[in-house]
Amino acid sequence: MNSTHLLVAADAVSRQYGQGLSAVVAVSTATCEVEPGARIALVGPSGSGKSTLLQLLGGLDVPDGGQIAWPALGSRDELRPGKVAYVFQTPSLLPALSVVENVELPLLLGNRAPALARRAACASLDQLGLTHLAERLPEELSGGQAQRVAVARALVAKPRLILADEPTGQLDHATAAQLLDSLLAALVGTDTALLIATHDRAVAGRMERSWQMQHGILEVS
Ligand code: ADP
Ligand code: MG
């Protein structure tokens, strides 16, 4: 089958931490594919290897075994900034930069002209209902607001793939639902794929498919 449209294709990838008796196999021979427009939940208990798998799929880490490729995106060093975006569990905003400066950063790192980067950052903030927070510093935000800003930053460069690592893990249910609503709404009409690690069933239930992870073993559906 022709697989050139796939955003990422992993074939029997493994990642182990440490050596010998103390070695931990975080991901064991995982095989999976992400197509454009996919909405996938990666579900599993703490320590099952979800974060490690996301890091491998995003090219932030390299496997010890198996193959990983990004047929539609290019080589590993072409993925960022821009084609693949991350949202982490804890807000990862730079504390010295304002909200709008944080959001435009991926574009500036991608050599976009400052005026264009600012315009796109403002549009992304507007889409998430955050315009009124543009000049604030991260320390002046609630946890839910900071995660929304992280989502605005992930969306700003119109990535092809968003990898979200328990993005609602520290939010109450209502705030978590709102964050997911905004993210899914922002992706309507795009072919951006979303892979979201979660142990929140409400979050997983909003995705088209769930992949299960248990002791480093991935089961895709
Ligand atoms: P999850 O995201 O599902 O909680 P992780 O991918 O973070 O799982 O971790 C999988 C396993 O790998 C766990 O046993 C964890 O302790 C171990 N692990 C993760 N990162 C490291 C690391 N940098 N060094 C050593 N062990 C690690
Ligand atoms: Mg994790």
Side-chain angles (χ1 to χ4, degrees):
M1 201 180 84
N2 188 347
S3 60
T4 54
H5 70 295
L6 292 175
L7 300 177
V8 55
D11 182 17
V13 295
S14 297
R15 177 73 167 96
Q16 126 175 0
Y17 296 109
Q19 297 289 327
L21 287 178
S22 64
V24 174
V25 180
V27 172
S28 175
T29 60
T31 295
C32 58
E33 299 175 348
V34 179
E35 310 214 347
R39 303 276 179 271
I40 303 167
L42 176 61
V43 183
S46 184
S48 58
K50 303 183 297 298
S51 295
T52 303
L53 182 64
L54 286 188
Q55 283 162 19
L56 293 170
L57 296 179
L60 290 180
D61 191 8
V62 287
D64 309 305
Q67 305 282 335
I68 185 153
W70 298 270
L73 303 181
S75 65
R76 181 174 170 238
D77 50 6
E78 292 174 298
L79 303 178
R80 272 173 313 277
K83 294 177 186 170
V84 177
Y86 273 89
V87 183
F88 296 100
Q89 177 170 9
T90 44
S92 51
L93 306 175
L94 296 181
L97 299 185
S98 70
V99 162
V100 69
E101 288 167 342
N102 267 282
V103 173
E104 71 189 0
L105 195 57
L107 296 176
L108 296 176
L109 292 173
N111 294 320
R112 197 77 58 92
L116 292 179
R118 178 57 59 103
R119 204 177 311 154
C122 290
S124 191
L125 287 170
D126 185 43
Q127 192 173 30
L128 275 288
L130 295 169
T131 300
H132 61 296
L133 301 178
E135 300 306 325
R136 292 229 192 141
L137 288 171
E139 68 185 16
E140 298 167 328
L141 303 176
S142 71
Q145 288 170 337
Q147 273 310 60
R148 290 178 90 78
V149 174
V151 168
R153 183 181 58 182
L155 292 168
V156 74
K158 304 200 184 308
R160 305 283 305 280
L161 172 62
I162 298 177
L163 299 170
D165 195 353
E166 307 204 40
T168 62
Q170 299 201 335
L171 305 179
D172 61 65
H173 269 289
T175 312
Q178 284 167 9
L179 185 85
L180 195 61
D181 286 343
S182 307
L183 176 54
L184 291 172
L187 296 181
V188 168
T190 73
D191 74 349
T192 301
L194 173 64
L195 177 57
I196 183 165
T198 185
H199 47 234
D200 182 339
R201 284 194 195 166
V203 172
R206 304 277 309 273
M207 300 293 123
E208 290 165 356
R209 281 186 285 156
S210 286
W211 294 352
Q212 306 291 326
M213 194 111 200
Q214 192 84 253
H215 301 300
I217 308 281
L218 175 69
E219 239 179 76
V220 303
S221 60

